[in-house]
Amino acid sequence: RSGGYPAYPLLSPEDVPAYLESRGLLHLLGGPAGAPLSVREVSDGNLNRIFLVRRDPGVPGLAVKQALPWVRVHGESWPLTPYRAAAEARAYEHLARVAPEFVPAYHGYDPAAFTLVMEDLGRLDVLRTASIEGRSPGDTGRHIGVFVARLAFATSDFGMGSAGRKKLIADSVNPELCELTEDVVLSEPYLEHEHNHHDPGIDALAREVRADPEVRREAARLKHLFMTKAEALLHGDLHSGSVMVGDGRVAVIDPEFSFVGPVGFDLGLFWANALIAAVRADVLGSAALAEEHLAQVAESWEGFTGEFRRLWPSRVDAFFDDAYLGEFLLGVWQDGLGFAGSEAMRRAIGYAHAADLETLPEPRRAAAAARVVRLARELITRRAGYDGPDALSKLIGER
Ligand code: SR1
Ligand code: MG
Ligand code: MG
Ligand code: MG
C-alpha cells in the first residue's frame, strides 16, 4: 500500500520555524521578525503529524500538517502513501474556490516534504470532542449540508462540462486512500480480521451480524457503489473528527481521502457520527441532547438539498431536468443511509472506533455499542424503506 515515494525529512517541533522560513510563510505569524515562535505538536488523528505555530498572540497561528509514510496510530508496520497529502492539497484548492467559508485559510502544499500549511483553527473545537463533552451541535448539520452541496454540485456533471469532468476524475484518483476505506470501512468489519475489535458485551451480536447473508450482500453493494459511482469530488472522510465548531464557524478539515465518488458517502459519514453522538447522549440519560444530535441528519439533509436546488438553475446541461433532480437527490439520500450504516458499523466493530462509545463507562459502553450495531444493520439492510429523516428517530432508542 505504501507505493514508491522519494525520501523526505520528517519534521519535529524544533524543525518547524526554519521550515516555515524556507517556505516564506513566517510573515503570516505577525510580530517582529526574529521573535521566538511557540511550536506544539498536537497530532491526534489516526494518520498524520500536526504542529501548531504562533508568534504574535494577536495573530492567528498556523497549522503545519505532514503525512507520515505509515498510519501514525498503528506504527511503521502499516505503511501508507504520503501522496495522500497531495490529494488533500487538491481538495483544499477546490474547496477554497467553492466553499471558502467552510475550510481553514490554506497556505499551500510542499510536495518535497508532503506537508501542508494552513490556518490554525485553535479557537474552534473538534465536533466529536464537543459532543463527548456534552455540548449541543447547534446548527452544525445545516452548515455541513451546504458544504457537501457546494463541493458536490461544482464537481458534478451538473456543475462542470463533460470533458472537464473526465479530467477531474483522472486528476483526483486517490487509489491507496480509497483502498484503505474499501478495507477498513467497507469490508473488514464484516469479516474476522485482525484489525477488528469490539466490546466483549456485544460478541454474540457481532458474530450474528457477520453471519447474516443479507448484511453481507448489502455491504458488498455499498462497497461496489463506493468503487464505481463517480458523481462528484468528495471530502472522503467526513466524520465528526473532521469537523470543527465554535467562534461562529463550522470548518471542515482533513480531506486527504478526497476522490470522485458517491455524494452520499460524505453525508453518510456525517450522519453516522451524529447518530452515534445521539446514542451516547441517550444512554447517558440526556434525551433532549440526543434529539439535537439526531436532528443533525434532517438539518444536514435540508441544508444539502436546499443548497443543491439553489445551484440547480446554473447547471451546465439542461438535459438534466427538474424531474431528474428529484431522482438524483433520492439516490443520494438512499446511498447516504447505506454509507451511514457502513460507517456506524465500523465505528463499533471495526478498526477505528468512535471515542463517543469508547469513553463511556461499562455497562453503558456495551449497551451503546449494541445500539449502534443494530442501527447500522438496519440502515445497511433496510435503507430503501426510509423515505426521509423523520423515520430515523426510532433507531436511536432501540435496545
Ligand atoms: C487506519 S485508518 C482508519 C481511519 O482513520 C481515518 O481518519 C479514516 O477515517 C480511516 O478510515
Ligand atoms: Mg479550542
Ligand atoms: Mg484490498
Ligand atoms: Mg481524518
Side-chain angles (χ1 to χ4, degrees), residues 31 51 67 130 136 138 157 208 214 236 306 321 362 398:
F51 305 95
S136 161
D157 281 301
E208 188 187 310
E214 204 187 349
D321 59 11
E362 291 288 13
E398 261 170 19

Side-chain angles (χ1 to χ4, degrees), residues 1 179 182-183 187 223:
R1 204 183 257 144
E179 192 174 0
E182 290 154 19
D183 291 346
S187 350
K223 176 176 178 178

Side-chain angles (χ1 to χ4, degrees), residues 47-392:
L47 303 182
N48 305 293
R49 276 191 189 151
I50 315 278
F51 305 95
L52 300 182
V53 194
R54 279 193 109 74
R55 185 159 59 191
D56 182 334
V59 174
L62 295 174
V64 177
K65 175 172 180 177
Q66 185 173 45
L68 296 170
W70 56 77
V71 172
R72 190 186 67 81
V73 290
H74 196 92
E76 293 182 44
S77 62
W78 190 343
L80 185 63
T81 177
Y83 283 109
R84 63 188 186 270
E88 178 161 4
R90 274 196 306 270
Y92 273 130
E93 280 155 24
H94 287 285
L95 288 165
R97 184 171 52 83
V98 301
E101 69 273 47
F102 295 116
V103 285
Y106 171 63
H107 301 298
Y109 173 55
D110 170 11
F114 299 100
T115 296
L116 298 98
V117 179
M118 61 211 117
E119 171 192 8
D120 169 22
L121 299 171
R123 291 201 296 220
L124 284 71
D125 292 299
V126 174
L127 174 61
R128 193 189 300 286
T129 309
S131 302
I132 289 171
E133 288 171 0
R135 278 184 273 159
S136 161
D139 64 352
T140 306
R142 187 173 54 77
H143 291 283
I144 292 299
V146 173
F147 165 84
V148 174
R150 288 268 195 85
L151 181 60
F153 184 88
T155 60
S156 70
D157 281 301
F158 314 126
M160 296 179 74
S162 174
R165 262 269 303 174
K166 302 299 182 286
K167 182 166 179 349
L168 174 80
I169 293 171
D171 290 348
S172 307
V173 292
N174 195 358
E176 296 88 349
L177 279 277
C178 283
E179 192 174 0
L180 182 57
T181 298
E182 290 154 19
D183 291 346
V184 303
V185 182
L186 298 166
S187 350
E188 289 170 6
Y190 308 95
L191 308 169
E192 295 296 333
H193 194 284
E194 61 181 355
H195 286 157
N196 296 335
H197 59 111
H198 56 254
D199 190 295
I202 64 163
D203 193 51
L205 180 60
R207 286 175 195 279
E208 188 187 310
V209 163
R210 289 188 180 130
D212 181 344
E214 204 187 349
V215 169
R216 179 59 178 273
R217 186 193 65 222
E218 291 308 314
R221 203 190 294 273
L222 288 161
K223 176 176 178 178
H224 199 215
L225 210 58
F226 177 87
M227 296 168 103
T228 55
K229 196 170 187 178
E231 287 178 327
L233 192 72
L234 307 186
H235 174 283
D237 195 27
L238 193 52
H239 56 78
S240 53
S242 300
V243 177
M244 297 195 67
V245 293
D247 206 27
R249 281 173 81 179
V250 171
V252 175
I253 58 170
D254 291 354
E256 64 224 291
F257 284 79
S258 182
F259 77 111
V260 177
V263 174
F265 189 76
D266 274 354
L267 288 169
L269 260 63
F270 181 73
W271 294 344
N273 287 279
L275 293 168
I276 290 170
V279 168
R280 174 188 170 90
D282 200 54
V283 300
L284 289 174
S286 308
L289 186 58
E291 279 300 319
E292 287 191 64
H293 286 297
L294 173 65
Q296 300 298 296
V297 177
E299 286 172 22
S300 55
W301 180 243
E302 280 159 26
F304 172 77
T305 53
E307 184 66 5
F308 213 92
R309 288 183 189 284
R310 189 185 72 77
L311 294 164
W312 186 248
S314 67
R315 65 197 180 278
V316 297
D317 183 351
F319 186 76
F320 297 116
D321 59 11
D322 291 354
Y324 185 71
L325 172 61
E327 289 278 304
F328 171 78
L329 293 176
L330 179 63
V332 173
W333 167 253
Q334 294 205 334
D335 295 350
L337 290 183
F339 289 125
S342 316
E343 167 72 356
M345 193 68 90
R346 70 99 170 213
R347 294 294 182 185
I349 65 169
Y351 175 75
H353 285 199
D356 319 49
L357 302 178
E358 297 299 291
T359 55
L360 285 167
E362 291 288 13
R364 286 175 171 148
R365 189 168 75 172
R371 287 204 212 174
V372 169
V373 170
R374 290 203 182 95
L375 77 81
R377 181 189 206 166
E378 173 75 7
L379 290 173
I380 290 166
T381 57
R382 310 252 177 268
R383 60 189 183 280
Y386 290 83
D387 57 4
D390 291 348
L392 295 178

